[in-house]
């Protein structure tokens, strides 16, 4: 899997709902595409699960199919009440896992 | 096939010819695509047969997508997203893609809002639906139609 990028605000006030943006480099090969030279179908290889944790608690997750675009972008929200860490995990069908981390200061 | 040819062909030859051209036409679409009926069956599976209510949520997609390989989607449900009243999940369903489900989002009260944004592939011009499952066991549905200039599912 390619490199992951996450955008989390550095600071927030307690009770704020923040927006988080994530992006990961991945072909998301749907299994429908054909190799132009051989005419054979290119086997499916996608990221099928994304999970976001805030201080160890899963607050958002997503199941993906071949219908998700290459280099998947995903944005979502989180209600924050104390400073802490975020952990984002992408699982692909071949068992590969990529993790990204970020922290936030909540006042 | 033009009218002159039809006239000289006997009925049998004509019927065979028509059958072949129909088969050729069907063969043009190389990817087996889901039908709106399959999408409806898929929704029934999610809701356990319950009828979702229209509205109470938003599904935003561009009216026209020039490139079907990456079409932005924004989805949200109108909920306070508290422990007592929240949206559990939203599933995005395409009616004419190779597979009806595009993705599903799972929320918790900690999410703050039932909101997600993603980019998806669209094979062709079609209706897209979003089904939300609420914490009280009810379901909501929103629909939109996207015109696709170039399909984004390969094949």
């Amino acid at each position: 899997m390619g490199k992951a990028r996450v955008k989390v605000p550095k600071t927030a006030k307690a009770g704020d709902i923040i927006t988080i943006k994530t992006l990961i480099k991945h072909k998301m090969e749907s299994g429908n595409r054909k190799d132009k030279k051989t005419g054979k179908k290119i086997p499916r290889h996608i990221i099928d699960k994304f999970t976001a944790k805030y201080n160890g608690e899963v607050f958002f997750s997503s199941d993906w199919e071949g219908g998700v675009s290459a280099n998947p972008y995903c944005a979502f929200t989180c209600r924050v009440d104390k400073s802490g860490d975020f952990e984002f995990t992408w699982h692909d069908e071949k068992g590969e896992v990529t993790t990204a981390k970020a922290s936030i200061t909540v006042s | 096939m033009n009218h002159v040819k039809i006239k000289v062909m006997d009925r049998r030859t004509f019927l065979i010819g028509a059958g072949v051209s129909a088969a050729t036409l069907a063969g043009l679409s190389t990817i087996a695509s889901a039908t709106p009926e399959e999408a409806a069956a898929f929704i029934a599976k999610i809701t356990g047969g319950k009828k979702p209510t229209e509205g109470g949520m938003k599904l935003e997609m561009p009216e026209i997508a020039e490139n079907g390989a990456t079409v932005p989607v924004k989805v949200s449900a109108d909920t306070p997203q508290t422990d007592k009243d929240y949206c559990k999940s939203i599933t995005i369903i395409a009616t004419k893609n190779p597979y009806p489900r595009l993705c599903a989002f799972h929320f918790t009260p900690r999410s703050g809002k039932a909101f997600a944004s993603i980019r998806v592939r669209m094979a062709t011009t079609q209706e897209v639906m979003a089904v939300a499952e609420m914490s009280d066991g009810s379901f909501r549905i929103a629909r939109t139609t996207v015109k696709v200039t170039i399909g984004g599912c390969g094949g």
Side-chain angles (χ1 to χ4, degrees), chain A residues 17 27-28 30 32 54 57-70 73-79 81, chain B residues 69-70 80-81 98-99 101-113 115-121 153 155:
Chain A
I17 296 170
K27 277 192 169 176
M28 293 295 284
S30 68
N32 293 319
Y54 168 58
E57 173 193 352
V58 175
F59 65 94
F60 175 84
S61 68
S62 187
D63 305 318
W64 294 348
E65 302 285 352
V68 171
S69 299
Y73 161 87
C74 192
F76 45 90
T77 57
C78 182
R79 185 184 280 131
D81 47 21
Chain B
T70 167
Q81 208 69 8
Y99 184 69
R101 186 170 88 153
L102 293 170
C103 58
F105 304 109
H106 307 286
F107 307 99
T108 68
R110 171 64 65 193
S111 308
K113 283 188 217 170
F115 163 86
S117 171
I118 199 163
R119 292 175 193 146
V120 298
R121 294 178 170 133
C153 285

Side-chain angles (χ1 to χ4, degrees), chain A residues 36-94:
Chain A
K36 276 180 187 148
K37 282 177 195 158
T38 61
K40 277 187 187 162
K41 276 198 172 178
I42 303 168
R44 177 174 138 138
H45 180 204
I46 63 166
I47 297 173
D48 57 2
K49 183 91 194 163
F50 169 76
T51 310
K53 281 183 189 172
Y54 168 58
N55 289 333
E57 173 193 352
V58 175
F59 65 94
F60 175 84
S61 68
S62 187
D63 305 318
W64 294 348
E65 302 285 352
V68 171
S69 299
N71 303 329
Y73 161 87
C74 192
F76 45 90
T77 57
C78 182
R79 185 184 280 131
V80 292
D81 47 21
K82 53 180 183 280
S83 300
D85 302 310
F86 284 97
E87 192 184 291
F88 309 98
T89 320
W90 293 261
H91 295 262
D92 88 356
E93 286 179 318
K94 291 184 180 172

Side-chain angles (χ1 to χ4, degrees), chain B residues 54-68:
Chain B
E54 301 274 344
M57 65 179 302
K58 243 200 233 165
L59 171 64
E60 290 172 75
M61 291 182 79
E63 223 170 282
I64 299 169
E66 281 183 15
N67 181 3

Side-chain angles (χ1 to χ4, degrees), chain B residues 119-130:
Chain B
R119 292 175 193 146
V120 298
R121 294 178 170 133
M122 299 267 96
T124 178
T125 297
Q126 59 185 296
E127 186 180 39
V128 180
M129 293 179 273

